Amino acid sequence: MRDSSRSVSFWQQAVDLLSDICGSTHVLTDTDILYTYGQDETLGLHFGFDILVKPGNAEEVSSIVKICNELRIPITPRGGGSGVTGGALPIKGGVVVSLERLNRIIHIDELSSYVIAESGVVTAALCERVEQQGLYFPVQPSSKAYSFIGGNVAENAGSIHSCRYGTTAQYVLNLEVVLPTGAIIWTGANVPKNATGLNLTQLFVGSEGVLGIITKVVYRLIRRPAHEVTLLAGFTTIEDACKAVLAIRQSGFTPAAVEMVGPEALRITAAYLSGPLPLVKQGIEAHLLVGLQEDTENALLHAMETVGGVLEKYAAEPILVGTTTLEKERLWKLRFSIGAALSSGGRTYRDIDISIPLSLLYPYLAKVEEITARYQLAVAYFGHALDGNLHTMVMLDQDLDTEAGANAAQAVNSIYAYAIANGGAISGEHGIGMLQKEFMKNQFSADHLALAKSIKHVLDPNDILNPGKIF
Amino acid sequence: MRDSSRSVSFWQQAVDLLSDICGSTHVLTDTDILYTYGQDETLGLHFGFDILVKPGNAEEVSSIVKICNELRIPITPRGGGSGVTGGALPIKGGVVVSLERLNRIIHIDELSSYVIAESGVVTAALCERVEQQGLYFPVQPSSKAYSFIGGNVAENAGSIHSCRYGTTAQYVLNLEVVLPTGAIIWTGANVPKNATGLNLTQLFVGSEGVLGIITKVVYRLIRRPAHEVTLLAGFTTIEDACKAVLAIRQSGFTPAAVEMVGPEALRITAAYLSGPLPLVKQGIEAHLLVGLQEDTENALLHAMETVGGVLEKYAAEPILVGTTTLEKERLWKLRFSIGAALSSGGRTYRDIDISIPLSLLYPYLAKVEEITARYQLAVAYFGHALDGNLHTMVMLDQDLDTEAGANAAQAVNSIYAYAIANGGAISGEHGIGMLQKEFMKNQFSADHLALAKSIKHVLDPNDILNPGKIF
């Protein structure tokens, strides 16, 4: 959708004004280039827009926002484009602001354990850089090779390690943000303990670009754990796998990762990869992958004994242990290929990113199986089992206007309803974006949503910034 | 200050309306009772007000807020009254809403590891109750015997264990809040991973009662560590003690507590307690108390070796180890008597609750010594060393109108300025309240403060709720 309600000369004027700010090489209108920036990783969706701008610093972002606000041009901020709920899709056209040139790591304070970096730094680049100093940023989403840290903050990204280390939110100390007015603020301070005024930092974390454009991030870091192993366990039933997850919780020990692969995800991914894979065989319906990260060999041995003992009680086969990089990669291979496998062959899945209280792990999956069976839909689930945050992928290979499409929508609704009724959240780590916003009214009361909207309105009265998202 | 601009009949009408909501036994105007509720633990301050109300549930709180909003009566919400920055002081008179009757622990989900409780539950009662189920709430402020969990949330309280476990904010999953309009909302969901809409939960955490009245809290819990010891080390200089703290950080191991006692705090408290105390002797200028909490004996031994080894390098005497409850109490006794010692003999201290990046621990203390020496002021510091959050107590035994008083104010200003210029925060855990609000303009830009105020205004356009705090 390009905005045809405005004249060619209006857009030419906008291009000129933006070129004055960033230099004309960083203001683009070429159709091919804009096509790439009109999509992210959401269901193959694409939106047309009018101007792509690549500012070089926060001051340029500020000037862009002021111009767009004055001319009432919608702005969609964009990081690495790895989102799966449409947070970076320019659904109202207008200007896309790509943060790709804000890619400097500014300062690492090793003793105080924080890093200051611009929001367009690639997640993996930041992780590698801090690891050179023995530090560790533990929330590394699977998109880390190309996602930007600003996008991670804007979506409050999770990772396979969130069960132990938490999500992005727990690491954000301070943010530099350009407000919809063009004002540039720092939200907090560079310290882990802070009780100074309203927590604007956490208001911007997870705000999906609707309240401001993040230009710098101050992340708290931890020491890099020295030792790491992977365990892989196979189970006869998903119920046994769930029992093992709950038993890990009850052991009192929290591994660095507890990832589940459900029956359909296992079958599809094994077929997609072909060739022999560990614990892929008749009678194995589910996998658990457990990551252990400890500071000492003794602690690692203790962790292996504790978790291994729990897994053995429920597993169908001996537990596999990966200690070398190659061994670990072999064990994780199937888990990390699920995304590619599910999207192969032109299939489309709706990723239900629900987060539920852990005690409901098996009841939730049983409910999902029941609902999808009722509507004759394929469902593949996998993910962050100890967080109660499973990616529940419902296959949508039907035209939504058909009866089958209506059934799929009804099934998705029923799954969300179960989670909400039981204290869960409709998004654990992917955000609301444009894809899940219809369910916000189920999650929250009218008074809650009115308050959230009024906060959006007070920051962005002209609804310039990432319009059509969350609300 | 009672509000004399309004007539006796106005207040009688208010009492009648509030009695209709809560029952007349819970609406109080007796002078003696009101006197108690007109103070907290802030510098001996006291404020008069007009009506004390003790609602029994969120619906009653909602009705009270609606009435007060209609009649434009200021409301000060009150927990256990343990605050030290005046957050619960009714500085504009009007109505104090005490949450003391909202004292029920509603639900504990052991497997999912969360508790739902009303905001008037005493911190220690909550901790004890969850420990009966093998769970643990690690952020236990020193006021836990009488502080309320709602107050802990409203101030984002810390504890001696925050260096390992974080502050209250990191444990709040969801809140029930009564807004200034009277609307009752839930802010989040009962799950640790949540990327669903704006983070209203963390907006209310640390908001010091200016945005809403918290009526229920959902806390995430962890497993209770099975083993615990205390180490006490004495140092010849504060610089050695600081070096030991930084070396602990560099060891990569994070103890459950690293508390410092500086020279003046040590001298005053030793004199206050009298009798023999561990490592109180000629040539010992500073203490570090290290708490270790681990799941296994092996892990505890490793922690003792690691941290003990670091401490020995800098300590003046052999490290003392407390393993039994009695031994631990003996080691902690001096640290936990500092507050009482400093406030004995009619002395008043201004608690500067600054949080600084850890690498500046010693430079900060050297600066504090330099500034207070210049103005000939007594200063005693102690507290959460590994967090960079030391309570820096500047003695204010002068009339503030004298030259000495002006000097004290100037010294306090200079200490804040140093922290702010170096990425620190003016409050690590006590909040802003009425006491620190004059420094907000130093911490934050005008644009930041304008945004924070506009959020306050959109929630509370009549400035009814805890007026005169933070802003």
Side-chain angles (χ1 to χ4, degrees), chain A residues 109-114 155-156 158-159 162 167 170 179 183-200 202-208 210-211 223 246 249-250 252-253 295-296 302 355-360 384 387 389 423-432 440 443-445 447-448 451-452 454-456 458-459 470-471, chain B residues 109-114 155-156 158-159 162 167 170 179 183-200 202-208 210-211 223 246 249-250 252-253 295-296 302 355-360 384 387 389 423-432 440 443-445 447-448 451-452 454-456 458-459 470-471:
Chain A
D109 182 331
E110 192 180 327
L111 272 174
S112 308
S113 301
Y114 67 79
E155 297 293 325
N156 186 16
S159 84
S162 291
T167 60
Q170 275 89 67
L179 303 181
I184 305 174
I185 66 165
W186 280 99
T187 58
N190 303 343
V191 289
K193 275 182 87 172
N194 193 343
T196 310
L198 300 185
N199 195 340
L200 297 188
Q202 294 297 331
L203 184 63
F204 286 100
V205 174
S207 68
E208 308 197 43
V210 310
L211 299 184
R223 285 275 144 182
L246 265 54
R249 166 62 57 89
Q250 287 184 298
F253 178 83
D295 290 328
T296 66
H302 170 70
S355 188
I356 46 149
L358 190 66
S359 56
L360 298 173
H384 320 306
D387 286 320
N389 178 215
I426 62 177
S427 175
E429 60 176 12
H430 289 166
I432 301 305
M440 287 287 278
Q443 177 87 60
F444 296 120
S445 68
D447 286 324
H448 174 118
L451 172 57
S454 72
I455 291 171
K456 160 72 172 171
V458 84
L459 273 110
I470 300 183
F471 304 115
Chain B
D109 181 332
E110 192 180 328
L111 271 175
S112 309
S113 301
Y114 68 79
E155 298 292 325
N156 187 15
S159 85
S162 290
T167 60
Q170 275 90 66
L179 303 181
I184 304 173
I185 66 166
W186 280 100
T187 58
N190 302 345
V191 289
K193 276 182 87 173
N194 192 344
T196 310
L198 300 185
N199 194 339
L200 297 188
Q202 294 297 331
L203 184 64
F204 286 100
V205 174
S207 68
E208 307 196 44
V210 309
L211 300 183
R223 283 275 144 185
L246 266 54
R249 167 60 59 89
Q250 287 184 297
F253 178 83
D295 290 327
T296 66
H302 169 70
S355 188
I356 47 151
L358 190 66
S359 56
L360 297 173
H384 320 305
D387 286 320
N389 180 215
I426 62 177
S427 174
E429 60 177 13
H430 288 166
I432 300 305
M440 286 288 278
Q443 177 86 62
F444 296 120
S445 67
D447 285 324
H448 174 119
L451 171 57
S454 71
I455 291 171
K456 161 72 173 172
V458 84
L459 273 110
I470 301 184
F471 305 115

Side-chain angles (χ1 to χ4, degrees), chain B residues 20 25 31 40 48 56 94 106-107 181 191 225 234-235 246 309 317 330 346 352 379 408 434 440:
Chain B
D20 287 346
T25 53
T31 313
D40 59 7
I106 296 164
H107 179 62
T181 55
V191 289
F235 301 87
L246 266 54
E317 302 261 344
R330 182 170 162 266
I352 300 176
V379 63
M434 58 169 284
M440 286 288 278

Side-chain angles (χ1 to χ4, degrees), chain B residues 48-377:
Chain B
F49 64 99
D50 303 280
I51 307 172
L52 172 64
V53 196
K54 300 181 177 182
N57 54 50
E59 290 66 31
E60 290 184 9
V61 175
S62 165
S63 300
I64 293 166
V65 168
K66 282 180 191 161
I67 291 288
C68 289
N69 211 332
E70 208 172 294
L71 299 179
R72 301 288 190 270
I73 300 174
I75 303 170
T76 303
R78 182 183 178 87
S82 60
V84 295
T85 57
L89 293 176
I91 62 178
K92 307 275 187 193
V95 164
V96 166
V97 175
S98 171
L99 282 310
E100 65 198 75
R101 291 177 60 221
L102 277 70
N103 60 0
R104 285 166 297 179
I105 295 173
I106 296 164
H107 179 62
I108 298 175
D109 181 332
E110 192 180 328
L111 271 175
S112 309
S113 301
Y114 68 79
V115 55
I116 307 175
E118 290 183 324
S119 58
V121 171
V122 170
T123 315
L126 181 112
C127 295
E128 280 160 30
R129 180 68 189 78
V130 303
E131 285 180 30
Q132 288 166 11
Q133 288 185 239
L135 297 163
Y136 190 56
F137 179 71
V139 192
Q140 307 183 4
S142 57
S143 59
K144 69 176 174 179
Y146 54 100
S147 63
F148 292 179
I149 61 168
N152 297 163
V153 172
E155 298 292 325
N156 187 15
S159 85
I160 60 166
H161 291 148
S162 290
C163 59
R164 178 157 195 165
Y165 300 107
T167 60
T168 303
Q170 275 90 66
Y171 295 85
V172 183
L173 298 178
N174 199 357
L175 295 171
E176 184 190 68
V177 180
V178 177
L179 303 181
T181 55
I184 304 173
I185 66 166
W186 280 100
T187 58
N190 302 345
V191 289
K193 276 182 87 173
N194 192 344
T196 310
L198 300 185
N199 194 339
L200 297 188
T201 303
Q202 294 297 331
L203 184 64
F204 286 100
V205 174
S207 68
E208 307 196 44
V210 309
L211 300 183
I213 301 180
I214 298 163
T215 46
K216 289 195 189 82
V217 175
V218 184
Y219 271 146
R220 178 172 74 84
L221 302 168
I222 61 175
R223 283 275 144 185
R224 188 179 185 182
H227 302 274
E228 186 164 359
V229 299
T230 299
L231 309 181
L232 174 63
F235 301 87
T236 310
T237 65
I238 192 74
E239 189 171 7
D240 283 347
C242 289
K243 281 180 183 166
V245 173
L246 266 54
I248 290 172
R249 167 60 59 89
Q250 287 184 297
S251 77
F253 178 83
T254 304
V258 179
E259 292 288 300
M260 179 181 278
V261 184
E264 186 79 355
L266 192 56
R267 263 189 293 276
I268 293 174
T269 314
Y272 171 76
L273 290 171
S274 74
L277 290 161
L279 289 180
V280 171
K281 54 168 74 171
Q282 196 71 28
I284 298 291
E285 284 284 301
H287 280 180
L288 282 183
L289 280 139
V290 176
L292 302 173
Q293 295 184 327
E294 300 297 327
D295 290 327
T296 66
E297 282 191 39
N298 270 340
L300 192 71
L301 282 173
H302 169 70
M304 286 171 69
E305 278 169 25
T306 305
V307 180
V310 168
L311 291 173
E312 269 173 2
K313 263 172 109 175
Y314 301 96
E317 302 261 344
I319 313 305
L320 304 183
V321 181
T323 50
T324 66
T325 302
L326 264 179
E327 286 168 356
K328 282 184 267 190
E329 277 175 7
R330 182 170 162 266
L331 299 186
W332 281 105
K333 185 177 179 185
L334 187 140
R335 165 65 185 88
F336 287 139
S337 303
I338 297 173
L342 292 182
S343 60
S344 67
R347 287 175 296 208
T348 302
Y349 285 84
R350 174 70 165 75
D351 181 353
I352 300 176
D353 169 41
I354 274 170
S355 188
I356 47 151
L358 190 66
S359 56
L360 297 173
L361 187 64
Y362 182 66
Y364 168 71
L365 292 178
K367 194 76 182 175
V368 164
E369 294 281 8
E370 176 207 314
I371 291 168
T372 50
R374 192 193 318 153
Y375 291 104
Q376 297 179 296
L377 293 164

